[in-house]
Amino acid sequence: MIKGFLFDLDGVIVDTAKYHFLAWKRLADELSIPFSENDNERLKGVSRMRSLDIILELGNLNLSSEVKEKLAAKKNSWYVDYITKMTPDEILPGALEFIQDAKDKNIKIGLGSASKNAMTILERLNITGYFDAIISGNEVSNAKPDPEVFLKGAEALGLEPEECVVFEDAAAGVEAAINGKMKCVGIGTKKVLGQADIVVEGLKVICTNDVLNALGIDFKYK
Ligand code: G6P
Ligand code: MG
Protein backbone atom coordinates (compact mmCIF):
# COMPACT_ATOMS: atom_id res chain seq x y z
CA MET A 1 0.00 0.00 0.00
CA ILE A 2 1.39 3.39 -0.98
CA LYS A 3 0.48 6.21 1.40
CA GLY A 4 3.11 8.87 0.72
CA PHE A 5 4.98 10.62 -2.08
CA LEU A 6 8.42 12.09 -1.35
CA PHE A 7 9.65 14.74 -3.77
CA ASP A 8 13.11 15.96 -4.50
CA LEU A 9 12.97 19.73 -5.13
CA ASP A 10 15.67 20.86 -7.58
CA GLY A 11 14.89 19.40 -11.02
CA VAL A 12 11.56 17.86 -9.99
CA ILE A 13 9.45 20.80 -8.80
CA VAL A 14 11.63 23.68 -9.98
CA ASP A 15 14.64 24.14 -12.23
CA THR A 16 17.27 25.67 -9.98
CA ALA A 17 20.16 23.96 -11.81
CA LYS A 18 20.56 27.07 -13.99
CA TYR A 19 21.09 29.25 -10.90
CA HIS A 20 23.49 26.77 -9.32
CA PHE A 21 25.39 26.81 -12.63
CA LEU A 22 25.61 30.61 -12.81
CA ALA A 23 26.89 30.83 -9.22
CA TRP A 24 29.38 27.94 -9.55
CA LYS A 25 30.54 29.31 -12.92
CA ARG A 26 31.30 32.69 -11.35
CA LEU A 27 33.37 30.97 -8.66
CA ALA A 28 35.12 28.71 -11.20
CA ASP A 29 35.97 31.78 -13.34
CA GLU A 30 37.48 33.51 -10.30
CA LEU A 31 39.62 30.43 -9.69
CA SER A 32 40.43 30.12 -13.44
CA ILE A 33 38.91 26.65 -13.55
CA PRO A 34 37.19 25.64 -16.81
CA PHE A 35 33.59 24.72 -15.96
CA SER A 36 30.90 23.94 -18.54
CA GLU A 37 27.14 23.26 -18.41
CA ASN A 38 28.08 19.68 -19.08
CA ASP A 39 30.22 19.61 -15.92
CA ASN A 40 27.25 21.11 -14.07
CA GLU A 41 25.28 17.89 -14.73
CA ARG A 42 27.60 16.13 -12.28
CA LEU A 43 26.48 18.48 -9.49
CA LYS A 44 22.80 17.54 -9.65
CA GLY A 45 21.59 16.04 -6.39
CA VAL A 46 25.07 16.40 -4.92
CA SER A 47 25.70 18.38 -1.70
CA ARG A 48 27.22 21.88 -1.75
CA MET A 49 30.63 20.80 -0.42
CA ARG A 50 30.83 17.78 -2.71
CA SER A 51 29.93 20.07 -5.64
CA LEU A 52 32.84 22.34 -4.71
CA ASP A 53 35.18 19.33 -4.49
CA ILE A 54 34.14 18.26 -8.01
CA ILE A 55 34.93 21.75 -9.35
CA LEU A 56 38.27 21.89 -7.53
CA GLU A 57 39.13 18.47 -8.97
CA LEU A 58 38.44 19.85 -12.47
CA GLY A 59 41.06 22.52 -11.78
CA ASN A 60 43.45 20.18 -9.95
CA LEU A 61 43.24 22.49 -6.96
CA ASN A 62 43.86 21.31 -3.43
CA LEU A 63 42.64 23.75 -0.79
CA SER A 64 42.32 23.70 2.99
CA SER A 65 38.89 23.07 4.46
CA GLU A 66 38.92 26.61 5.84
CA VAL A 67 39.33 28.11 2.34
CA LYS A 68 36.77 25.68 0.93
CA GLU A 69 34.19 26.77 3.52
CA LYS A 70 34.73 30.39 2.47
CA LEU A 71 34.40 29.59 -1.24
CA ALA A 72 31.21 27.56 -0.67
CA ALA A 73 29.74 30.44 1.36
CA LYS A 74 30.60 32.88 -1.42
CA LYS A 75 28.96 30.70 -4.06
CA ASN A 76 25.93 30.32 -1.83
CA SER A 77 25.49 34.06 -1.39
CA TRP A 78 25.43 34.48 -5.18
CA TYR A 79 23.01 31.55 -5.49
CA VAL A 80 20.74 33.03 -2.81
CA ASP A 81 20.68 36.32 -4.75
CA TYR A 82 19.16 34.40 -7.66
CA ILE A 83 16.66 32.28 -5.77
CA THR A 84 15.30 35.13 -3.68
CA LYS A 85 14.15 36.64 -6.98
CA MET A 86 12.30 33.48 -8.06
CA THR A 87 8.56 33.63 -8.70
CA PRO A 88 5.80 30.96 -8.70
CA ASP A 89 5.79 30.89 -12.52
CA GLU A 90 9.11 29.02 -12.28
CA ILE A 91 7.39 25.93 -10.88
CA LEU A 92 7.92 23.16 -13.45
CA PRO A 93 4.91 22.37 -15.68
CA GLY A 94 2.41 19.99 -14.10
CA ALA A 95 4.19 19.77 -10.72
CA LEU A 96 1.50 21.45 -8.64
CA GLU A 97 -1.34 19.69 -10.49
CA PHE A 98 0.38 16.36 -9.85
CA ILE A 99 0.83 17.08 -6.15
CA GLN A 100 -2.75 18.33 -5.80
CA ASP A 101 -4.08 15.17 -7.49
CA ALA A 102 -2.13 13.04 -5.00
CA LYS A 103 -3.41 15.10 -2.07
CA ASP A 104 -6.98 14.69 -3.33
CA LYS A 105 -6.38 10.93 -3.11
CA ASN A 106 -5.22 11.22 0.51
CA ILE A 107 -1.59 10.58 -0.29
CA LYS A 108 0.74 12.37 2.12
CA ILE A 109 3.28 14.72 0.57
CA GLY A 110 6.87 15.11 1.73
CA LEU A 111 9.95 16.95 0.52
CA GLY A 112 13.38 15.29 0.59
CA SER A 113 15.95 17.76 -0.69
CA ALA A 114 19.73 17.98 -0.29
CA SER A 115 19.46 21.77 -0.46
CA LYS A 116 19.96 23.90 2.63
CA ASN A 117 18.00 26.57 0.73
CA ALA A 118 14.90 24.39 0.25
CA MET A 119 12.69 26.45 2.59
CA THR A 120 13.63 29.71 0.87
CA ILE A 121 12.74 28.20 -2.51
CA LEU A 122 9.41 26.76 -1.32
CA GLU A 123 8.50 30.11 0.19
CA ARG A 124 9.42 32.03 -2.95
CA LEU A 125 7.28 29.62 -4.98
CA ASN A 126 4.50 29.97 -2.41
CA ILE A 127 4.03 26.19 -2.09
CA THR A 128 5.18 25.43 1.49
CA GLY A 129 1.58 24.62 2.46
CA TYR A 130 1.40 21.66 0.06
CA PHE A 131 3.84 19.64 2.17
CA ASP A 132 2.98 17.52 5.19
CA ALA A 133 6.70 17.15 5.97
CA ILE A 134 9.81 18.96 4.79
CA ILE A 135 13.31 17.51 5.11
CA SER A 136 16.09 19.68 3.68
CA GLY A 137 19.87 19.66 3.66
CA ASN A 138 19.77 21.25 7.13
CA GLU A 139 18.24 18.14 8.68
CA VAL A 140 20.55 15.48 7.25
CA SER A 141 24.19 14.63 7.73
CA ASN A 142 24.55 12.02 4.98
CA ALA A 143 24.11 13.14 1.37
CA LYS A 144 22.32 11.11 -1.31
CA PRO A 145 22.88 8.27 -2.32
CA ASP A 146 22.58 7.71 1.43
CA PRO A 147 18.83 7.24 2.04
CA GLU A 148 18.78 9.43 5.18
CA VAL A 149 16.80 12.34 3.67
CA PHE A 150 14.04 10.03 2.41
CA LEU A 151 13.98 7.84 5.53
CA LYS A 152 13.56 10.97 7.64
CA GLY A 153 10.85 12.13 5.22
CA ALA A 154 8.93 8.86 5.58
CA GLU A 155 9.27 9.01 9.35
CA ALA A 156 8.05 12.62 9.45
CA LEU A 157 5.00 11.54 7.45
CA GLY A 158 4.44 8.70 9.94
CA LEU A 159 4.96 6.08 7.23
CA GLU A 160 7.16 3.07 6.59
CA PRO A 161 9.70 3.44 3.74
CA GLU A 162 7.86 0.73 1.80
CA GLU A 163 4.74 2.90 1.85
CA CYS A 164 6.46 5.76 -0.01
CA VAL A 165 7.30 6.57 -3.62
CA VAL A 166 10.23 8.90 -4.31
CA PHE A 167 10.35 11.34 -7.27
CA GLU A 168 13.91 12.15 -8.31
CA ASP A 169 15.81 13.71 -11.21
CA ALA A 170 19.35 12.79 -10.10
CA ALA A 171 21.06 9.41 -10.29
CA ALA A 172 22.30 9.82 -6.69
CA GLY A 173 18.70 10.43 -5.58
CA VAL A 174 17.37 7.35 -7.36
CA GLU A 175 20.08 5.34 -5.63
CA ALA A 176 19.08 6.90 -2.30
CA ALA A 177 15.48 5.78 -2.82
CA ILE A 178 16.59 2.25 -3.68
CA ASN A 179 18.90 2.19 -0.66
CA GLY A 180 15.92 3.22 1.46
CA LYS A 181 13.78 0.38 0.03
CA MET A 182 11.39 2.81 -1.63
CA LYS A 183 9.84 2.76 -5.07
CA CYS A 184 11.20 5.46 -7.34
CA VAL A 185 9.92 7.49 -10.27
CA GLY A 186 12.79 8.99 -12.27
CA ILE A 187 12.18 12.45 -13.74
CA GLY A 188 14.42 12.74 -16.77
CA THR A 189 15.94 10.17 -19.11
CA LYS A 190 16.37 6.39 -18.85
CA LYS A 191 20.01 6.84 -19.78
CA VAL A 192 20.69 8.67 -16.49
CA LEU A 193 17.96 7.21 -14.28
CA GLY A 194 17.79 3.62 -15.53
CA GLN A 195 17.70 2.24 -12.00
CA ALA A 196 14.34 3.88 -11.22
CA ASP A 197 11.17 1.73 -11.36
CA ILE A 198 9.74 4.01 -14.02
CA VAL A 199 11.14 7.07 -15.80
CA VAL A 200 9.08 9.96 -17.20
CA GLU A 201 10.11 13.27 -18.73
CA GLY A 202 8.27 15.37 -16.15
CA LEU A 203 5.39 15.46 -13.68
CA LYS A 204 3.21 17.04 -16.37
CA VAL A 205 2.83 13.72 -18.21
CA ILE A 206 1.58 11.62 -15.26
CA CYS A 207 -1.04 11.52 -12.52
CA THR A 208 -1.25 9.51 -9.29
CA ASN A 209 -3.10 6.60 -10.91
CA ASP A 210 -0.53 6.33 -13.74
CA VAL A 211 2.28 6.04 -11.20
CA LEU A 212 0.54 3.44 -9.06
CA ASN A 213 -0.56 1.41 -12.10
CA ALA A 214 2.96 1.49 -13.53
CA LEU A 215 4.34 0.30 -10.20
CA GLY A 216 1.77 -2.49 -10.15
CA ILE A 217 0.14 -1.17 -6.99
CA ASP A 218 -3.50 -1.82 -6.39
CA PHE A 219 -4.71 1.46 -4.97
CA LYS A 220 -8.12 2.22 -3.65
CA TYR A 221 -8.65 5.74 -2.42
CA LYS A 222 -11.54 7.28 -0.58
C1 G6P B 1 20.25 19.90 -4.67
C2 G6P B 1 20.85 20.24 -6.03
C3 G6P B 1 22.36 20.23 -5.96
C4 G6P B 1 22.85 21.12 -4.82
C5 G6P B 1 22.27 20.63 -3.51
C6 G6P B 1 22.68 21.49 -2.33
O1 G6P B 1 20.37 18.55 -4.45
O2 G6P B 1 20.43 19.31 -7.01
O3 G6P B 1 22.87 20.68 -7.20
O4 G6P B 1 24.26 21.12 -4.76
O5 G6P B 1 20.84 20.63 -3.61
O6 G6P B 1 22.11 22.77 -2.47
P1 G6P B 1 22.38 24.01 -1.52
O7 G6P B 1 21.25 24.94 -1.82
O8 G6P B 1 22.34 23.49 -0.10
O9 G6P B 1 23.72 24.54 -1.87
MG1 MG C 1 17.19 17.09 -7.94
Side-chain angles (χ1 to χ4, degrees), residues 20 33 77 105 131 145 160 171 190 198 215 218-220:
H20 279 298
I33 296 174
S77 72
K105 289 170 176 138
F131 294 88
E160 295 298 322
K190 278 205 173 125
I198 50 171
L215 294 175
D218 187 22
F219 180 71
K220 295 197 176 49

Side-chain angles (χ1 to χ4, degrees), residues 8-11 16-17 20-21 24 40-52 72 75-76 79-80 83 112-118 121 136-138 144 168-170:
D8 172 50
L9 178 62
D10 296 315
T16 45
H20 279 298
F21 175 70
W24 282 127
N40 193 54
E41 285 300 304
R42 291 177 58 198
L43 310 187
K44 287 190 177 169
V46 171
S47 72
R48 192 181 306 167
M49 288 315 285
R50 179 66 196 130
S51 298
L52 177 60
K75 178 267 172 182
N76 190 56
Y79 177 66
V80 168
I83 58 170
S113 168
S115 174
K116 295 186 172 171
N117 294 298
I121 297 170
S136 75
N138 299 304
K144 300 168 187 177
E168 254 295 346
D169 73 309

Side-chain angles (χ1 to χ4, degrees), residues 8-20 79 83 86-93 95 111 118 121-122 124-125 127 169 203:
D8 172 50
L9 178 62
D10 296 315
V12 173
I13 294 174
V14 66
D15 176 20
T16 45
K18 57 186 179 215
Y19 301 129
H20 279 298
Y79 177 66
I83 58 170
M86 286 177 85
T87 54
D89 62 6
E90 292 185 57
I91 296 169
L92 287 171
L111 188 89
I121 297 170
L122 293 180
R124 287 299 309 162
L125 301 178
I127 57 171
D169 73 309
L203 292 175

